[in-house]
Amino acid sequence: MNLITGHWIPVTRQNGHADIIAPWQIAETDNPVVEINAPRPDFQGALYQLLVGLLQTCFAPEDEEQWQEYWQDAPEPETLQTSFAKVAFAFELDAKGAPAFLQDFDLPDGETKAISALLIEAPGGKTLKDNLDHFIKRDQVNQLCPSCTATALFTLQTNAPSGGVGHRVGLRGGGPLTTLIFPKAPSASLWHKLWLNVLNQEDLEVAEKIDARILPWLGKTRVSDKGQITSPSDVHPLHTYWGMPRRIRLTTTCEDAVCDLCGKQAEKLYREFRTKNYGTNYDGAWLHPLTPYRFDPKKVNLPLSLKGQQGGLGYRHWLGLSLQDAENGDEAAQIVQFYNSERGRVFRDHGSASLWCFGYDMDNMKARCWYESRFPVYYLAEIQRNNLMAWAGELVSAAKEVVKMLRGQVKAAWFRRPEDVKGDMSQIDAQFWQATEADFYRLLEQLATLPADTRMAPGKIYASWYKTLERQMLRIFETATLAATPEDLDLKRIVNAQKNLRGKFYGSKTMKALKAKGTTEEAA
């Protein structure tokens, strides 16, 4: 199957009907495609990234003026088909003796693995050997259709976690977060959703020719068995969309069967692949346009891509994902920064946008969870943007301080010697963040719509946030401590812990400052 000319991407059209399309059909205007319909959430995110990568590689606009032209009127599907055709030779899924999509150019030997090992959450060799596959069982996926195989291959290569000795991580590190700007309009087509995330040629170097510097499987693998590294200067900037850390070659197939993942009948399915360690070792200051990074203010350490975190994604991450979190050194992805500074000005006439953020929470080789969230984004003048970062930062910092107080005193209420207890208290954090999220975004919306000449946030914002933190802190404490079974209740310990919690809250410098600002009059 050729991934450029073949029909393999599952989608939903405007009339609600499911369809299978070739990549160039994303621009069709007659009953347009409105959404990808992948069988798994990580596949959904991967297909978006693959299509954005194709557009960026083959059809990037010259400048913002041309971008807007294609936003107003999508290109003819035949125009897109012609542009994509120049890379079709590199997108064969199964090509004996020739380059094959995201597969090692020349892999004569290697370890044979079941096709299920392409799935990031699949149990590894040691897990199977020790019979520890309790939650994700072996032999659930034995054969994949070409569509699911191609998507699984891309998902693994772009998210690649550590995989044992010499099995390299992706160029963004294992399990990176991806952020995409999304139009909020329910009627938005897939074309608009993808096009909003394509940079102009003047912002990302265009390809003069398609070769292994862009699509690494077109040449011999840059192996790393002797410590060799691959840095951004070794390849073309577009390589970031097509990283290939793992050495893989699809092998055995079967015919005319049902895919274990999507449940569809296929004439050909894949059952195994061959793999070998010491593939491309990405090192250096890699910056993927769709990923947020943490920067060392002293510029001693290399930028680190932000990863999925235990407990999920919430408003405490909003600053770093959508703007800049100076406290942690987190900065939004290049495409988000471009929206904030330039494209949002063009796009605001077409409605509002949101930020779709997704990624795995990885513990080395183990996938703990897949997370995805939607966040608001605002196009603002620079002074408004700076104000919003400062004001939102104050609200988030106050919440972080309160959640520490809450966690500590719930633990003190639960246990006679809390300092000796090493249990997981993350459920308390999660309850607090979830309980305060709606109020945060309500206040954020008010802050984002203040006039540009506003020097100080209105006092009512701080007053409202103070009350929210106080109310939810006490509510969650009471629920967590008084919901215990009667024989576990120690009312004296609970009362003392609650008294300490109130004392810490009302005595905190941060809370006193928040309350003081809440009593001030709104300043222009």
Side-chain angles (χ1 to χ4, degrees), residues 315 395-409 428-429 432-433 436 465-466 468-474 501 504-505 508 510-511 514:
Y315 74 83
L395 303 187
V396 173
S397 293
K400 286 180 178 179
E401 185 169 329
V402 173
V403 80
K404 288 181 182 178
M405 301 175 191
L406 174 61
R407 185 194 319 128
Q409 295 310 310
I428 299 299
D429 295 35
F432 179 81
W433 293 119
T436 54
W465 190 234
Y466 181 92
T468 292
L469 297 180
E470 179 186 37
R471 182 178 67 256
Q472 298 298 349
M473 176 191 72
L474 295 175
L501 180 60
K504 287 179 178 294
F505 181 86
S508 163
T510 302
M511 294 305 114
L514 196 67

Side-chain angles (χ1 to χ4, degrees), residues 453-456 521-524:
D453 59 352
T454 303
R455 293 178 299 166
M456 294 178 61
E521 294 295 324
E522 179 176 346

Side-chain angles (χ1 to χ4, degrees), residues 276-297:
K276 197 171 184 178
N277 56 359
Y278 296 109
T280 303
N281 184 15
Y282 292 105
D283 197 3
W286 287 94
L287 296 175
H288 193 291
L290 305 180
T291 289
Y293 284 84
R294 176 164 295 170
F295 292 86
D296 180 1

Side-chain angles (χ1 to χ4, degrees), residues 2 47 55 63 90 101 180 193 204 237 305 395-396 422 455 497:
N2 187 285
L47 286 172
L55 289 168
D63 51 30
F101 176 68
L180 296 174
K193 294 172 183 177
L204 187 63
S305 64
L395 303 187
V396 173
K422 306 299 181 184
R455 293 178 299 166

Side-chain angles (χ1 to χ4, degrees), residues 9 23 26 36 47-56 190 194:
I9 301 175
I26 57 175
I36 293 172
L47 286 172
Y48 263 94
Q49 291 180 79
L50 187 149
L51 291 171
V52 168
L54 267 179
L55 289 168
Q56 193 70 63
L190 180 61
L194 296 168

